Amino acid sequence: MAYDTKRYQFELPASGTGAIDEMKHLIGAKTNGDLFDNALTLLHWAITNVREGRMITSMDENEENYRVLTMPALERARNAASVAEEEAVETTTMSNAEKSTLAAG
């Protein structure tokens, strides 16, 4: 079955290409597109979770401790969710006077 595709082209510093090749090898990705798809899946999952108020962590079960992943992109996603929630509350909150006016209708 054919599906729509869209082509992206990136310019990266040469120093970063070794890491890309290593990651492709570690996860068995055959193409840069496969690596990118996996990376986007992980980022999408992380964004969804931080927008729901969760932290993204790495846990060492043996030591019973964890590290929190911090990234500017995830902080921006968390902040955008907070702003959107505040705006939603502002638009759904009516004053008592507005409620009385509607009830008197």
Side-chain angles (χ1 to χ4, degrees):
M1 171 159 68
Y3 57 92
D4 291 335
T5 61
K6 189 169 185 177
R7 184 172 183 81
Y8 290 92
Q9 184 172 338
F10 301 95
E11 290 186 24
L12 302 169
S15 61
T17 59
I20 290 172
D21 293 337
E22 181 182 6
M23 286 185 282
K24 279 174 53 179
H25 175 74
L26 289 171
I27 68 168
K30 298 198 182 324
T31 66
N32 290 339
D34 291 341
L35 177 67
F36 187 71
D37 185 49
N38 280 278
L40 283 180
T41 299
L42 180 58
L43 182 59
H44 183 263
W45 174 83
I47 289 169
T48 300
N49 278 275
V50 299
R51 288 180 60 98
E52 293 174 354
R54 295 185 180 93
M55 294 185 300
I56 307 304
T57 64
S58 169
M59 183 171 183
D60 181 339
E61 293 182 47
N62 295 328
E63 298 291 324
E64 295 184 10
N65 64 24
Y66 64 92
R67 293 184 198 165
V68 176
L69 174 64
T70 58
M71 293 173 58
L74 294 180
E75 288 304 311
R76 287 190 296 270
R78 182 188 318 275
N79 293 339
S82 296
V83 169
E85 186 176 303
E86 288 172 12
E87 290 173 352
V89 168
E90 287 174 8
T91 59
T92 58
T93 302
M94 293 191 299
S95 69
N96 287 334
E98 290 171 318
K99 291 178 187 174
S100 296
T101 302
L102 284 176

